Amino acid sequence: MKHNLLIKKILTPFQHGIRAIHSCESKLLFFTQEIYDKLEAGKQTDLIVMDFSKTFDKVDHKLLIYKHMKFGLNKHTILWIQSLLENRSQTVVVDG
């Protein structure tokens, strides 16, 4: 899947987490350095934080699968993603 996304240039250069040598940690380091540089230059840094914890509850799963097909992901990858999205539930239990 990553290979297709990279070849088709679907991922931006700013995408971290699923690209080689671009981990979540590298993004955090890049971001921290950017804030430091702006602070040193006397410039303002604005930050918007978004919570994507319910993202897949809000996305039309059929449309998501269609877009993956349109981007040329192979059948096995699409079926794997589809199996993750369909008939799944999650429960969090706190204090028993």
Coordinates of all heavy atoms in Angstrom, one line a residue:
M1 N 0.8 -1.2 0.0 CA 0.0 0.0 0.0 C 0.9 1.2 0.0 O 0.7 2.2 -0.8 CB -0.9 0.0 1.2 CG -1.9 1.2 1.2 SD -3.2 1.0 2.3 CE -2.7 2.0 3.7
K2 N 1.9 1.3 0.9 CA 2.8 2.5 0.9 C 3.4 2.7 -0.4 O 3.5 3.8 -0.9 CB 3.9 2.3 2.0 CG 3.5 2.6 3.4 CD 4.7 2.7 4.3 CE 5.3 1.4 4.6 NZ 6.3 1.5 5.6
H3 N 3.8 1.6 -1.1 CA 4.5 1.7 -2.3 C 3.6 2.4 -3.4 O 4.1 3.3 -4.1 CB 4.9 0.3 -2.8 CG 5.7 0.3 -4.1 ND1 7.0 0.8 -4.1 CD2 5.4 -0.1 -5.3 CE1 7.4 0.6 -5.4 NE2 6.5 0.1 -6.1
N4 N 2.4 2.0 -3.5 CA 1.4 2.6 -4.4 C 1.2 4.1 -4.1 O 1.2 4.9 -5.0 CB 0.1 1.9 -4.4 CG 0.1 0.6 -5.1 OD1 1.0 0.4 -5.9 ND2 -0.9 -0.2 -4.9
L5 N 1.1 4.4 -2.8 CA 0.9 5.8 -2.4 C 2.1 6.7 -2.8 O 2.0 7.8 -3.2 CB 0.6 5.9 -0.9 CG -0.7 5.2 -0.4 CD1 -0.8 5.3 1.1 CD2 -1.9 5.9 -1.1
L6 N 3.3 6.1 -2.6 CA 4.5 6.9 -3.0 C 4.7 7.0 -4.5 O 5.0 8.1 -5.0 CB 5.7 6.2 -2.3 CG 5.8 6.2 -0.8 CD1 6.9 5.4 -0.3 CD2 5.9 7.6 -0.3
I7 N 4.5 6.0 -5.2 CA 4.6 6.0 -6.7 C 3.6 7.0 -7.3 O 4.0 7.8 -8.2 CB 4.4 4.6 -7.3 CG1 5.6 3.7 -7.0 CG2 4.2 4.7 -8.8 CD1 5.5 2.3 -7.4
K8 N 2.4 7.0 -6.8 CA 1.4 7.8 -7.4 C 1.4 9.3 -6.8 O 0.6 10.1 -7.1 CB 0.0 7.2 -7.2 CG -0.2 5.9 -8.0 CD -1.5 5.3 -7.7 CE -1.6 4.0 -8.4 NZ -1.8 4.1 -9.8
K9 N 2.4 9.5 -5.9 CA 2.6 10.8 -5.3 C 1.3 11.3 -4.6 O 1.0 12.5 -4.7 CB 3.2 11.8 -6.3 CG 4.5 11.3 -6.8 CD 5.2 12.3 -7.7 CE 6.5 11.7 -8.1 NZ 7.4 12.5 -8.8
I10 N 0.7 10.4 -3.9 CA -0.5 10.8 -3.2 C -0.2 11.4 -1.8 O -0.8 12.3 -1.4 CB -1.5 9.6 -3.0 CG1 -2.0 9.1 -4.3 CG2 -2.6 9.9 -2.0 CD1 -2.6 7.7 -4.3
L11 N 1.0 11.0 -1.3 CA 1.4 11.5 0.0 C 2.2 12.8 -0.2 O 3.0 12.9 -1.2 CB 2.3 10.5 0.7 CG 1.7 9.1 1.1 CD1 2.8 8.2 1.7 CD2 0.5 9.3 2.0
T12 N 2.0 13.8 0.6 CA 2.8 15.0 0.6 C 4.1 14.8 1.2 O 4.3 13.9 2.0 CB 2.1 16.2 1.3 OG1 2.2 15.9 2.7 CG2 0.6 16.3 0.9
P13 N 5.1 15.7 0.9 CA 6.4 15.6 1.6 C 6.3 15.8 3.1 O 7.2 15.4 3.8 CB 7.2 16.7 0.9 CG 6.5 17.1 -0.3 CD 5.1 16.7 -0.1
F14 N 5.2 16.3 3.5 CA 5.0 16.6 5.0 C 4.4 15.4 5.7 O 4.3 15.4 6.9 CB 4.2 17.8 5.2 CG 4.7 19.0 4.5 CD1 4.1 19.5 3.4 CD2 5.9 19.7 5.0 CE1 4.7 20.6 2.7 CE2 6.4 20.8 4.3 CZ 5.8 21.3 3.2
Q15 N 4.1 14.3 5.0 CA 3.5 13.1 5.6 C 4.5 12.4 6.3 O 5.6 12.0 5.8 CB 2.9 12.3 4.5 CG 2.3 10.9 5.0 CD 1.1 11.1 5.9 OE1 0.2 11.9 5.6 NE2 1.1 10.4 7.0
H16 N 4.3 12.1 7.6 CA 5.2 11.3 8.4 C 4.4 10.1 8.9 O 3.2 10.1 8.9 CB 5.7 12.1 9.6 CG 6.7 13.2 9.2 ND1 8.1 13.1 9.5 CD2 6.6 14.3 8.5 CE1 8.7 14.1 9.0 NE2 7.8 14.9 8.4
G17 N 5.1 9.2 9.5 CA 4.4 8.0 10.1 C 4.3 6.8 9.3 O 4.4 5.7 9.8
I18 N 4.2 6.9 8.0 CA 4.2 5.7 7.1 C 5.2 5.7 6.0 O 5.3 4.8 5.2 CB 2.8 5.4 6.5 CG1 2.4 6.6 5.5 CG2 1.7 5.3 7.6 CD1 1.1 6.3 4.7
R19 N 6.1 6.7 6.0 CA 7.1 6.8 5.0 C 8.5 6.5 5.6 O 8.7 6.7 6.8 CB 7.2 8.2 4.4 CG 6.0 8.6 3.6 CD 6.0 10.0 3.1 NE 7.2 10.3 2.4 CZ 7.8 11.5 2.4 NH1 7.4 12.5 3.2 NH2 8.9 11.7 1.7
A20 N 9.3 5.9 4.8 CA 10.7 5.5 5.3 C 11.4 6.8 5.8 O 11.3 7.8 5.2 CB 11.5 4.9 4.2
I21 N 12.0 6.6 7.0 CA 12.7 7.7 7.7 C 11.9 8.9 8.0 O 12.4 10.0 8.2 CB 14.1 8.1 7.1 CG1 13.9 8.8 5.7 CG2 15.0 6.9 6.9 CD1 15.2 9.5 5.2
H22 N 10.6 8.7 8.0 CA 9.6 9.8 8.3 C 8.7 9.3 9.4 O 7.5 9.1 9.1 CB 8.9 10.3 7.1 CG 9.7 11.1 6.1 ND1 10.6 10.5 5.2 CD2 9.9 12.4 6.0 CE1 11.2 11.4 4.5 NE2 10.8 12.6 4.9
S23 N 9.1 9.1 10.6 CA 8.3 8.5 11.6 C 7.5 9.6 12.3 O 7.6 10.8 12.1 CB 9.2 7.8 12.7 OG 10.0 8.8 13.3
C24 N 6.6 9.2 13.2 CA 5.9 10.2 14.1 C 6.9 11.0 14.9 O 6.7 12.2 15.1 CB 4.9 9.5 15.0 SG 3.6 8.6 14.1
E25 N 8.0 10.4 15.3 CA 9.0 11.1 16.1 C 9.7 12.1 15.2 O 10.0 13.2 15.7 CB 10.0 10.1 16.6 CG 9.5 9.2 17.7 CD 8.8 8.0 17.2 OE1 8.7 7.8 16.0 OE2 8.3 7.2 18.0
S26 N 10.0 11.8 13.9 CA 10.6 12.8 13.1 C 9.7 14.0 12.8 O 10.2 15.1 12.8 CB 11.0 12.2 11.7 OG 9.9 11.8 11.0
K27 N 8.4 13.8 12.8 CA 7.4 14.9 12.6 C 7.5 15.8 13.8 O 7.5 17.0 13.7 CB 6.0 14.3 12.3 CG 5.0 15.4 12.1 CD 5.3 16.3 10.9 CE 4.3 17.3 10.7 NZ 4.6 18.2 9.5
L28 N 7.5 15.2 15.0 CA 7.5 15.9 16.2 C 8.8 16.7 16.3 O 8.8 17.9 16.7 CB 7.4 15.0 17.4 CG 7.4 15.6 18.8 CD1 6.2 16.6 18.9 CD2 7.3 14.6 19.9
L29 N 9.9 16.2 15.9 CA 11.2 16.9 15.9 C 11.2 18.1 14.9 O 11.6 19.2 15.2 CB 12.4 16.0 15.6 CG 12.7 15.0 16.7 CD1 13.7 13.9 16.2 CD2 13.3 15.7 17.9
F30 N 10.7 17.8 13.7 CA 10.5 18.8 12.7 C 9.7 20.0 13.2 O 10.0 21.2 13.1 CB 9.9 18.2 11.4 CG 9.6 19.2 10.4 CD1 10.6 19.7 9.5 CD2 8.3 19.7 10.2 CE1 10.4 20.6 8.5 CE2 8.0 20.6 9.2 CZ 9.1 21.0 8.3
F31 N 8.6 19.6 13.8 CA 7.6 20.6 14.3 C 8.2 21.4 15.5 O 8.1 22.7 15.5 CB 6.3 19.9 14.8 CG 5.3 20.9 15.4 CD1 4.7 21.8 14.6 CD2 4.9 20.8 16.7 CE1 3.8 22.7 15.1 CE2 4.0 21.6 17.2 CZ 3.4 22.6 16.4
T32 N 8.9 20.8 16.4 CA 9.6 21.5 17.5 C 10.6 22.4 17.0 O 10.7 23.6 17.5 CB 10.2 20.4 18.5 OG1 9.2 19.5 18.9 CG2 10.8 21.1 19.6
Q33 N 11.4 22.0 16.0 CA 12.4 22.9 15.4 C 11.8 24.1 14.7 O 12.3 25.2 14.8 CB 13.3 22.1 14.4 CG 14.4 22.9 13.8 CD 15.5 23.3 14.9 OE1 15.9 22.4 15.7 NE2 15.9 24.5 15.0
E34 N 10.7 23.9 14.0 CA 10.0 25.0 13.4 C 9.5 26.0 14.4 O 9.7 27.2 14.2 CB 8.8 24.4 12.6 CG 8.1 25.5 11.7 CD 7.1 24.9 10.8 OE1 6.7 23.7 11.0 OE2 6.5 25.7 10.0
I35 N 8.9 25.6 15.5 CA 8.5 26.5 16.5 C 9.7 27.2 17.1 O 9.6 28.5 17.3 CB 7.7 25.7 17.6 CG1 6.4 25.2 17.1 CG2 7.5 26.6 18.9 CD1 5.6 24.4 18.1
Y36 N 10.8 26.5 17.4 CA 12.0 27.2 17.9 C 12.5 28.2 17.0 O 12.8 29.3 17.4 CB 13.1 26.1 18.2 CG 14.3 26.7 18.7 CD1 14.5 27.1 20.0 CD2 15.4 26.8 17.8 CE1 15.7 27.6 20.5 CE2 16.6 27.4 18.3 CZ 16.7 27.8 19.6 OH 17.9 28.3 20.0
D37 N 12.6 27.9 15.7 CA 13.1 28.8 14.7 C 12.2 30.1 14.6 O 12.8 31.2 14.5 CB 13.2 28.2 13.3 CG 14.2 27.1 13.2 OD1 15.1 27.0 14.1 OD2 14.2 26.3 12.3
K38 N 10.9 29.9 14.6 CA 10.0 31.1 14.6 C 10.2 31.9 15.9 O 10.2 33.2 15.8 CB 8.6 30.6 14.4 CG 8.3 29.9 13.2 CD 7.6 30.8 12.1 CE 7.5 30.0 10.8 NZ 6.2 30.0 10.3
L39 N 10.3 31.3 17.0 CA 10.5 32.0 18.3 C 11.8 32.8 18.2 O 11.8 34.0 18.6 CB 10.5 31.0 19.4 CG 10.6 31.5 20.8 CD1 9.3 32.4 21.1 CD2 10.7 30.4 21.8
E40 N 12.8 32.2 17.7 CA 14.1 32.9 17.6 C 14.0 34.1 16.7 O 14.7 35.1 16.9 CB 15.2 31.9 17.2 CG 15.7 31.0 18.2 CD 16.4 31.7 19.3 OE1 17.4 32.4 19.1 OE2 16.0 31.5 20.5
A41 N 13.2 34.0 15.7 CA 13.1 35.1 14.7 C 12.0 36.1 15.1 O 11.8 37.1 14.4 CB 12.7 34.5 13.3
G42 N 11.4 35.9 16.3 CA 10.4 36.8 16.8 C 9.1 36.7 16.1 O 8.3 37.7 16.1
K43 N 8.8 35.6 15.4 CA 7.6 35.4 14.7 C 6.6 34.6 15.5 O 7.0 33.8 16.4 CB 7.9 34.7 13.4 CG 8.7 35.5 12.4 CD 8.9 34.8 11.1 CE 9.7 35.7 10.2 NZ 9.9 35.1 8.9
Q44 N 5.4 34.7 15.1 CA 4.3 34.0 15.8 C 4.1 32.6 15.2 O 4.2 32.4 14.0 CB 3.0 34.8 15.7 CG 1.8 34.2 16.2 CD 0.5 35.1 16.1 OE1 0.6 36.3 16.2 NE2 -0.6 34.5 15.8
T45 N 3.7 31.7 16.1 CA 3.3 30.3 15.6 C 1.9 30.0 16.1 O 1.6 30.2 17.3 CB 4.3 29.3 16.2 OG1 5.6 29.5 15.7 CG2 3.9 27.9 15.7
D46 N 1.1 29.7 15.2 CA -0.3 29.3 15.5 C -0.4 27.8 15.4 O 0.2 27.2 14.5 CB -1.3 30.0 14.6 CG -1.3 31.5 14.7 OD1 -1.1 32.0 15.8 OD2 -1.5 32.2 13.7
L47 N -1.3 27.2 16.2 CA -1.4 25.8 16.2 C -2.9 25.4 16.3 O -3.6 26.0 17.1 CB -0.7 25.2 17.4 CG -0.8 23.7 17.6 CD1 -0.2 22.9 16.5 CD2 -0.1 23.4 19.0
I48 N -3.3 24.5 15.4 CA -4.7 24.0 15.5 C -4.5 22.5 15.7 O -3.8 21.8 15.0 CB -5.4 24.2 14.1 CG1 -5.6 25.7 13.8 CG2 -6.8 23.5 14.2 CD1 -6.1 26.0 12.5
V49 N -5.2 22.0 16.8 CA -5.1 20.6 17.2 C -6.5 20.0 16.9 O -7.5 20.5 17.3 CB -4.8 20.5 18.7 CG1 -4.7 19.0 19.0 CG2 -3.4 21.1 19.0
M50 N -6.5 18.9 16.2 CA -7.7 18.2 15.8 C -7.7 16.8 16.3 O -6.7 16.1 16.2 CB -7.9 18.2 14.3 CG -8.0 19.7 13.7 SD -7.9 19.8 12.0 CE -9.4 19.0 11.5
D51 N -8.8 16.3 16.8 CA -8.9 15.0 17.3 C -9.6 14.1 16.3 O -10.7 14.3 15.9 CB -9.7 15.0 18.6 CG -9.9 13.6 19.2 OD1 -9.3 12.6 18.7 OD2 -10.7 13.5 20.2
F52 N -8.8 13.1 15.7 CA -9.3 12.3 14.7 C -9.8 10.9 15.3 O -9.9 9.9 14.5 CB -8.3 12.0 13.6 CG -8.0 13.2 12.8 CD1 -6.9 14.0 13.0 CD2 -9.0 13.6 11.8 CE1 -6.7 15.1 12.2 CE2 -8.7 14.8 11.1 CZ -7.6 15.5 11.2
S53 N -10.0 10.8 16.6 CA -10.3 9.5 17.2 C -11.6 8.9 16.6 O -11.8 7.7 16.6 CB -10.4 9.7 18.7 OG -11.4 10.5 19.1
K54 N -12.5 9.7 16.1 CA -13.8 9.2 15.6 C -13.8 9.3 14.1 O -14.9 9.3 13.5 CB -15.0 9.9 16.2 CG -15.1 9.7 17.7 CD -16.0 8.5 17.9 CE -16.3 8.3 19.3 NZ -17.1 7.1 19.5
T55 N -12.7 9.5 13.4 CA -12.7 9.8 12.0 C -13.4 8.8 11.2 O -14.3 9.1 10.4 CB -11.2 9.9 11.5 OG1 -10.6 10.9 12.2 CG2 -11.2 10.1 10.0
F56 N -13.2 7.5 11.4 CA -13.8 6.5 10.6 C -15.3 6.3 10.9 O -16.0 5.6 10.2 CB -13.0 5.2 10.7 CG -11.7 5.3 10.0 CD1 -10.5 5.3 10.7 CD2 -11.6 5.5 8.6 CE1 -9.3 5.5 10.1 CE2 -10.4 5.6 8.0 CZ -9.2 5.6 8.7
D57 N -15.7 6.9 12.0 CA -17.2 6.8 12.3 C -17.9 7.8 11.4 O -19.1 7.7 11.2 CB -17.5 7.1 13.8 CG -17.0 6.1 14.7 OD1 -16.7 4.9 14.2 OD2 -16.9 6.3 15.9
K58 N -17.2 8.9 11.0 CA -17.8 10.0 10.2 C -17.6 9.8 8.7 O -18.2 10.5 8.0 CB -17.2 11.3 10.7 CG -17.2 11.5 12.2 CD -18.2 12.4 12.6 CE -18.1 12.7 14.1 NZ -19.2 12.2 14.9
V59 N -16.7 9.0 8.3 CA -16.4 8.8 6.9 C -17.3 7.8 6.2 O -17.6 6.7 6.8 CB -14.9 8.4 6.7 CG1 -14.6 8.1 5.2 CG2 -14.0 9.5 7.2
D60 N -17.8 8.0 5.1 CA -18.6 7.1 4.3 C -17.6 6.0 3.9 O -16.8 6.2 3.0 CB -19.2 7.7 3.1 CG -20.1 6.8 2.3 OD1 -19.8 5.6 2.3 OD2 -21.0 7.3 1.6
H61 N -17.8 4.8 4.4 CA -16.8 3.7 4.2 C -16.8 3.3 2.7 O -15.8 2.9 2.2 CB -17.1 2.5 5.1 CG -16.9 2.8 6.5 ND1 -17.3 1.9 7.5 CD2 -16.3 3.9 7.2 CE1 -16.9 2.5 8.7 NE2 -16.3 3.6 8.5
K62 N -18.0 3.3 2.1 CA -18.1 2.9 0.7 C -17.3 3.9 -0.2 O -16.6 3.5 -1.1 CB -19.5 2.8 0.2 CG -20.2 1.6 0.8 CD -21.7 1.5 0.3 CE -22.4 0.3 1.0 NZ -23.8 0.3 0.6
L63 N -17.4 5.2 0.1 CA -16.7 6.2 -0.6 C -15.2 6.1 -0.4 O -14.4 6.2 -1.3 CB -17.2 7.6 -0.2 CG -16.5 8.8 -0.9 CD1 -16.7 8.7 -2.4 CD2 -17.0 10.1 -0.3
L64 N -14.8 5.7 0.9 CA -13.4 5.6 1.2 C -12.8 4.4 0.4 O -11.7 4.5 -0.2 CB -13.2 5.3 2.7 CG -11.8 5.2 3.2 CD1 -11.0 6.5 3.0 CD2 -11.8 4.8 4.7
I65 N -13.5 3.3 0.3 CA -13.1 2.1 -0.5 C -13.0 2.5 -2.0 O -12.0 2.1 -2.6 CB -14.0 0.9 -0.2 CG1 -13.9 0.4 1.2 CG2 -13.7 -0.2 -1.2 CD1 -12.6 -0.1 1.7
Y66 N -14.0 3.2 -2.5 CA -14.0 3.6 -3.9 C -12.8 4.5 -4.2 O -12.1 4.3 -5.2 CB -15.3 4.4 -4.2 CG -15.2 5.1 -5.5 CD1 -15.4 4.4 -6.7 CD2 -14.9 6.5 -5.6 CE1 -15.4 5.0 -7.9 CE2 -14.9 7.1 -6.9 CZ -15.1 6.3 -8.0 OH -15.0 6.9 -9.2
K67 N -12.4 5.4 -3.3 CA -11.3 6.2 -3.5 C -10.0 5.4 -3.5 O -9.1 5.7 -4.3 CB -11.2 7.4 -2.5 CG -12.2 8.4 -2.8 CD -12.0 9.7 -1.9 CE -13.0 10.7 -2.3 NZ -12.7 12.0 -1.7
H68 N -9.9 4.4 -2.6 CA -8.7 3.6 -2.6 C -8.6 2.8 -3.9 O -7.5 2.6 -4.5 CB -8.8 2.6 -1.4 CG -8.4 3.2 -0.1 ND1 -9.3 3.7 0.8 CD2 -7.2 3.4 0.5 CE1 -8.7 4.2 1.8 NE2 -7.4 4.0 1.7
M69 N -9.7 2.4 -4.4 CA -9.7 1.7 -5.7 C -9.3 2.6 -6.8 O -8.5 2.2 -7.7 CB -11.1 1.1 -6.0 CG -11.4 -0.1 -5.1 SD -13.2 -0.7 -5.2 CE -13.7 -0.4 -6.8
K70 N -9.8 3.8 -6.8 CA -9.4 4.8 -7.8 C -7.9 5.1 -7.8 O -7.3 5.4 -8.8 CB -10.2 6.1 -7.6 CG -10.1 7.1 -8.6 CD -11.0 8.3 -8.4 CE -10.8 9.4 -9.4 NZ -11.6 10.6 -9.2
F71 N -7.3 5.1 -6.6 CA -5.9 5.4 -6.5 C -5.0 4.2 -6.9 O -3.8 4.3 -6.9 CB -5.5 5.8 -5.1 CG -6.0 7.2 -4.7 CD1 -6.5 7.5 -3.5 CD2 -5.8 8.3 -5.6 CE1 -6.9 8.8 -3.1 CE2 -6.1 9.6 -5.3 CZ -6.7 9.8 -4.0
G72 N -5.7 3.1 -7.2 CA -5.0 1.9 -7.7 C -4.4 1.0 -6.7 O -3.5 0.2 -7.0
L73 N -4.9 1.0 -5.5 CA -4.4 0.0 -4.5 C -4.9 -1.3 -4.9 O -5.9 -1.5 -5.5 CB -5.0 0.4 -3.1 CG -4.2 1.3 -2.3 CD1 -4.3 2.7 -2.8 CD2 -4.6 1.3 -0.8
N74 N -4.1 -2.3 -4.6 CA -4.4 -3.7 -5.1 C -5.6 -4.3 -4.3 O -5.9 -3.8 -3.2 CB -3.2 -4.6 -5.0 CG -2.7 -5.0 -3.7 OD1 -3.5 -5.3 -2.8 ND2 -1.5 -4.8 -3.4
K75 N -6.2 -5.3 -4.9 CA -7.4 -5.9 -4.4 C -7.3 -6.4 -3.0 O -8.1 -6.2 -2.1 CB -7.8 -7.0 -5.3 CG -9.1 -7.7 -4.9 CD -9.5 -8.8 -5.8 CE -10.7 -9.6 -5.4 NZ -11.0 -10.7 -6.2
H76 N -6.1 -7.0 -2.7 CA -5.9 -7.6 -1.3 C -5.9 -6.5 -0.3 O -6.4 -6.6 0.8 CB -4.7 -8.4 -1.3 CG -4.8 -9.6 -2.2 ND1 -5.6 -10.7 -1.9 CD2 -4.1 -9.9 -3.3 CE1 -5.5 -11.6 -2.9 NE2 -4.6 -11.2 -3.7
T77 N -5.2 -5.3 -0.6 CA -5.1 -4.2 0.3 C -6.5 -3.6 0.6 O -6.9 -3.3 1.7 CB -4.2 -3.2 -0.2 OG1 -2.9 -3.8 -0.4 CG2 -4.0 -2.0 0.8
I78 N -7.3 -3.5 -0.5 CA -8.6 -2.9 -0.4 C -9.5 -3.8 0.5 O -10.2 -3.4 1.4 CB -9.2 -2.6 -1.8 CG1 -8.5 -1.5 -2.4 CG2 -10.7 -2.3 -1.6 CD1 -8.8 -1.3 -3.9
L79 N -9.4 -5.1 0.2 CA -10.2 -6.1 1.0 C -9.8 -6.0 2.5 O -10.6 -6.1 3.4 CB -10.1 -7.5 0.5 CG -10.7 -7.7 -0.9 CD1 -10.4 -9.1 -1.4 CD2 -12.2 -7.6 -0.8
W80 N -8.5 -5.8 2.8 CA -8.0 -5.8 4.1 C -8.6 -4.5 4.8 O -9.1 -4.6 5.9 CB -6.5 -5.7 4.2 CG -5.9 -5.6 5.5 CD1 -5.8 -6.5 6.5 CD2 -5.3 -4.4 6.0 NE1 -5.2 -6.0 7.6 CE2 -4.9 -4.7 7.3 CE3 -5.1 -3.1 5.5 CZ2 -4.2 -3.8 8.2 CZ3 -4.4 -2.2 6.3 CH2 -4.0 -2.5 7.6
I81 N -8.5 -3.4 4.1 CA -9.1 -2.1 4.7 C -10.6 -2.3 4.9 O -11.1 -1.9 6.0 CB -8.8 -0.9 3.8 CG1 -7.3 -0.6 3.7 CG2 -9.5 0.3 4.2 CD1 -6.8 0.3 2.7
Q82 N -11.2 -2.9 4.0 CA -12.7 -3.1 4.1 C -13.0 -3.9 5.3 O -14.0 -3.6 6.0 CB -13.2 -3.7 2.8 CG -14.7 -3.6 2.6 CD -15.1 -4.0 1.2 OE1 -14.3 -4.7 0.5 NE2 -16.3 -3.7 0.8
S83 N -12.2 -5.0 5.5 CA -12.5 -5.8 6.7 C -12.3 -5.1 8.0 O -12.9 -5.4 9.0 CB -11.6 -7.1 6.6 OG -10.3 -6.8 7.0
L84 N -11.4 -4.1 8.0 CA -11.2 -3.3 9.2 C -12.3 -2.4 9.5 O -12.6 -2.1 10.6 CB -9.9 -2.5 9.1 CG -8.6 -3.3 9.1 CD1 -7.4 -2.4 8.9 CD2 -8.4 -4.0 10.5
L85 N -13.0 -2.0 8.4 CA -14.1 -1.0 8.6 C -15.5 -1.6 8.8 O -16.3 -0.9 9.4 CB -14.2 -0.1 7.3 CG -12.9 0.8 7.0 CD1 -13.1 1.5 5.7 CD2 -12.7 1.8 8.1
E86 N -15.7 -2.8 8.4 CA -17.0 -3.4 8.5 C -17.2 -4.2 9.7 O -16.3 -5.0 10.1 CB -17.3 -4.2 7.2 CG -17.4 -3.4 6.0 CD -17.7 -4.3 4.7 OE1 -17.6 -5.5 4.8 OE2 -17.9 -3.7 3.7
N87 N -18.3 -4.1 10.3 CA -18.8 -4.9 11.4 C -17.7 -4.9 12.6 O -17.5 -6.0 13.2 CB -19.0 -6.4 11.0 CG -20.1 -6.4 9.9 OD1 -21.1 -5.7 10.0 ND2 -19.9 -7.2 8.9
R88 N -17.2 -3.8 12.9 CA -16.2 -3.6 14.0 C -16.8 -2.8 15.1 O -17.6 -1.9 14.8 CB -14.9 -2.9 13.5 CG -14.1 -3.7 12.5 CD -13.5 -4.9 13.1 NE -12.8 -5.6 12.1 CZ -11.8 -6.4 12.3 NH1 -11.3 -6.5 13.5 NH2 -11.2 -7.1 11.3
S89 N -16.5 -3.2 16.3 CA -16.9 -2.3 17.4 C -15.7 -2.3 18.4 O -14.9 -3.2 18.4 CB -18.2 -2.9 18.1 OG -17.9 -4.2 18.7
Q90 N -15.7 -1.3 19.2 CA -14.7 -1.1 20.2 C -15.3 -0.6 21.5 O -16.2 0.2 21.5 CB -13.6 -0.1 19.7 CG -12.5 0.2 20.6 CD -11.4 1.1 20.0 OE1 -11.5 1.5 18.8 NE2 -10.5 1.5 20.8
T91 N -14.7 -1.1 22.6 CA -15.2 -0.8 23.9 C -14.1 -0.4 24.8 O -13.0 -1.1 24.8 CB -16.0 -2.0 24.5 OG1 -17.0 -2.4 23.6 CG2 -16.6 -1.6 25.8
V92 N -14.3 0.7 25.5 CA -13.2 1.1 26.5 C -13.9 0.9 27.9 O -15.0 1.4 28.1 CB -12.8 2.5 26.3 CG1 -11.8 3.0 27.4 CG2 -12.2 2.7 24.9
V93 N -13.2 0.2 28.8 CA -13.7 0.0 30.1 C -12.7 0.7 31.1 O -11.5 0.4 31.0 CB -13.8 -1.5 30.4 CG1 -14.2 -1.8 31.9 CG2 -14.7 -2.2 29.4
V94 N -13.3 1.5 31.9 CA -12.5 2.2 32.9 C -12.9 1.8 34.3 O -14.1 1.7 34.6 CB -12.7 3.8 32.7 CG1 -11.9 4.5 33.8 CG2 -12.3 4.2 31.4
D95 N -12.0 1.5 35.1 CA -12.2 1.0 36.5 C -13.1 -0.2 36.6 O -14.1 -0.2 37.2 CB -12.8 2.2 37.4 CG -11.8 3.3 37.6 OD1 -10.6 3.0 37.6 OD2 -12.2 4.4 37.8
G96 N -12.8 -1.2 35.8 CA -13.6 -2.4 35.8 C -14.7 -2.5 34.9 O -15.5 -3.4 34.8

